[in-house]
Amino acid sequence: MEIKILGPGCKNCKKFEANAVEAIGKLGIDAEVEKIIDIVEIMSYGIFSTPALVVDGEVKVSGRVPSIDEIMGLLRS
Amino acid sequence: MWQRTVDWLTYGLLNLNKNSLFGGAVNFFIYDVIKIIFLLFVVVFGIAIIRSFLSPEKIKAILTNKNKYVGNVLAALFGIVTPFCSCSAVPLFIGFVESGIPLGVTFSFLIASPVINEIALGLLWSYFGLKIALIYVISGLTIAVFVGVIIDKLGLESWVEEFVYQIKVGKSANEAAQITFRARSKDAWAYTFGLVKKILPYIALGIGIGAFIHGYAPEDLLVRVAAKTNPFTVPAAVLIGVPLYSNAAGIIPIVTALISKGVPMGTALAFMMAVTALSLPEMIILRKVLKKPLLATFFGIVTIAIIFTGYLFNALI
């Protein structure tokens, strides 16, 4: 599973990343988390506010920080 | 009703002297804390609910292909409900420009977003009533529309960083199109609670200082320094306000105390707008997409507009 976290490095982005890492740990899945901080690349996903979560090329969340439970749910489906 | 409860608390329960400076300051402090927290919850929650209906994608869609002036007004209105932060400002700016929304309309949005601040709105309401709070919103909207129209007329498109025009925004992701009102409320509540909790220490500090000034500062000193008739107070207040940003929430209770000591309303409002609307962190964020001359023009026009608003208020109220 390929997981990307998009965000220029603001507070929310860091919180998002921490939540995502924790969610992956809890699920015990084999996934690689990549941080995308380049604004040009972020925009190529068609989102207008960060942070955002992209799983296997698909935008799952944008513009807010979801809870660990929510991320777990998103990664399971 | 609240005042009576607080009176009972300070003068009855805590047994403080009603006529002492200290008793008065404590009474002022407790009353303000209760009132402010309540109204902040109302305003921040209300705006969070409205925001949940207006995703950035939706705002962009509404603003695309709108008549210029209608676009300016709508963009300013949308700016009210959108908080300005490093997470949203740059992507939104690029998204707007890329989809062909005029630069002036984009700026109306960019100005209204920090100028009309939900925390400032809640605090103004709790201190001065709904009327002053609405005047604050309307003057913020006017500045946003007016500056947006000017920037459009100046034709400053070439001062936007080139890369912005080269970006191809991917096909819009349509996340969470249908959510229940229950889910919206839950999200909005979590947001409100988090925000109020975060700014509470600043507010408490501000009220504390405010209570101190209220009780102790000599009245005629401030009136002499910041009298309505002194034409330099408004620009001075704005220039002092620009570098102050992070403590916006805490600064307003101080402003209140100043007003109660005779500083004119327009001067105080201009100060507050300068604190919330213009700041160094904001400048650094916008520098990513704007070249220096445009950034300077933007800050210059907004500063002048705020000073003008200050004079206007002093003349009206």
Side-chain angles (χ1 to χ4, degrees):
Chain A
M1 196 183 264
E2 191 192 53
I3 295 164
K4 285 178 183 163
I5 291 165
L6 320 180
C10 55
K11 240 187 223 163
N12 285 340
C13 310
K14 285 176 190 134
K15 204 172 149 205
F16 199 135
E17 196 197 353
N19 282 2
V21 168
E22 180 129 8
I24 292 164
K26 274 190 175 172
L27 286 172
I29 50 172
D30 185 31
E32 204 143 299
V33 179
E34 195 187 346
K35 260 166 79 181
I36 310 286
I37 51 170
D38 178 49
I39 189 73
V40 176
E41 198 177 342
I42 290 174
M43 294 309 290
S44 74
Y45 286 94
I47 56 151
F48 291 98
S49 58
T50 58
L53 176 74
V54 175
V55 180
D56 291 333
E58 195 188 331
V59 178
K60 294 284 188 188
V61 176
S62 78
R64 61 196 176 88
V65 180
S67 65
I68 296 167
D69 284 344
E70 194 186 341
I71 300 175
M72 284 169 69
L74 288 169
L75 293 180
R76 258 195 229 111
S77 59
Chain B
M1 173 194 80
W2 284 345
Q3 186 62 62
R4 205 183 296 166
T5 314
V6 175
D7 281 346
W8 171 78
L9 198 69
T10 32
Y11 305 128
L13 201 66
L14 294 173
N15 202 18
L16 294 167
N17 185 345
K18 202 170 184 172
N19 299 317
S20 73
L21 286 176
F22 182 70
V26 170
N27 185 284
F28 184 74
F29 182 83
I30 296 175
Y31 179 71
D32 272 3
V33 170
I34 294 172
K35 191 171 67 172
I36 287 172
I37 291 173
F38 177 76
L39 283 175
L40 269 181
F41 264 96
V42 171
V43 171
V44 176
F45 184 76
I47 285 185
I49 287 283
I50 299 172
R51 184 188 305 137
S52 74
F53 286 98
L54 291 165
S55 67
E57 289 80 7
K58 215 184 239 168
I59 291 175
K60 194 203 77 172
I62 295 171
L63 290 179
T64 310
N65 300 323
K66 275 277 171 339
N67 168 297
K68 254 181 200 169
Y69 299 104
V70 176
N72 284 105
V73 175
L74 283 176
L77 286 171
F78 290 141
I80 299 178
V81 298
T82 315
F84 185 95
C85 73
S86 57
C87 293
S88 61
V90 169
L92 272 172
F93 182 86
I94 295 174
F96 278 18
V97 170
E98 201 259 358
S99 57
I101 294 170
L103 195 61
V105 174
T106 306
F107 267 98
S108 286
F109 180 85
L110 272 188
I111 295 161
S113 174
V115 167
I116 305 163
N117 175 300
E118 62 210 45
I119 295 163
L121 182 63
L123 291 172
L124 274 180
W125 188 3
S126 52
Y127 279 115
F128 307 114
L130 196 55
K131 193 178 135 203
I132 298 291
L134 287 177
I135 291 176
Y136 161 71
V137 173
I138 291 164
S139 48
L141 280 176
T142 312
I143 291 176
V145 171
F146 174 76
V147 176
V149 170
I150 291 184
I151 285 187
D152 192 71
K153 289 267 184 284
L154 292 174
L156 304 173
E157 281 74 9
S158 60
W159 281 347
V160 173
E161 290 287 353
E162 276 87 14
F163 84 90
V164 172
Y165 294 114
Q166 282 148 20
I167 288 180
K168 278 280 158 285
V169 175
K171 202 176 166 297
S172 229
N174 224 341
E175 184 232 337
Q178 295 291 327
I179 40 173
T180 60
F181 193 77
R182 208 191 147 90
R184 279 180 212 286
S185 314
K186 215 180 129 202
D187 280 356
W189 178 252
Y191 172 82
T192 308
F193 193 76
L195 187 69
V196 174
K197 205 173 88 185
K198 201 172 76 186
I199 61 172
L200 212 54
Y202 294 112
I203 292 180
L205 184 74
I207 299 169
I209 296 170
F212 179 80
I213 295 176
H214 190 81
Y216 294 95
E219 203 148 329
D220 52 337
L221 176 81
L222 284 164
V223 177
R224 245 183 293 136
V225 175
K228 246 183 191 180
T229 46
N230 184 344
F232 297 110
T233 47
V234 175
V238 171
L239 291 181
I240 295 168
V242 172
L244 301 171
Y245 172 71
S246 50
N247 290 342
I251 231 68
I252 293 158
I254 301 175
V255 171
T256 325
L258 294 179
I259 289 174
S260 73
K261 290 292 177 187
V263 174
M265 180 66 85
T267 311
L269 264 182
F271 175 65
M272 202 178 69
M273 282 184 164
V275 170
T276 53
L278 299 169
S279 68
L280 193 62
E282 184 193 348
M283 210 185 282
I284 292 166
I285 292 167
L286 290 176
R287 178 65 189 90
K288 283 185 192 157
V289 284
L290 306 180
K291 286 181 189 168
K292 276 175 195 154
L294 180 51
L295 193 62
T297 310
F298 169 60
F299 267 72
I301 301 177
V302 176
T303 305
I304 293 167
I306 292 174
I307 292 173
F308 181 76
T309 312
Y311 283 131
L312 190 72
F313 265 89
N314 279 350
L316 289 176
I317 299 175

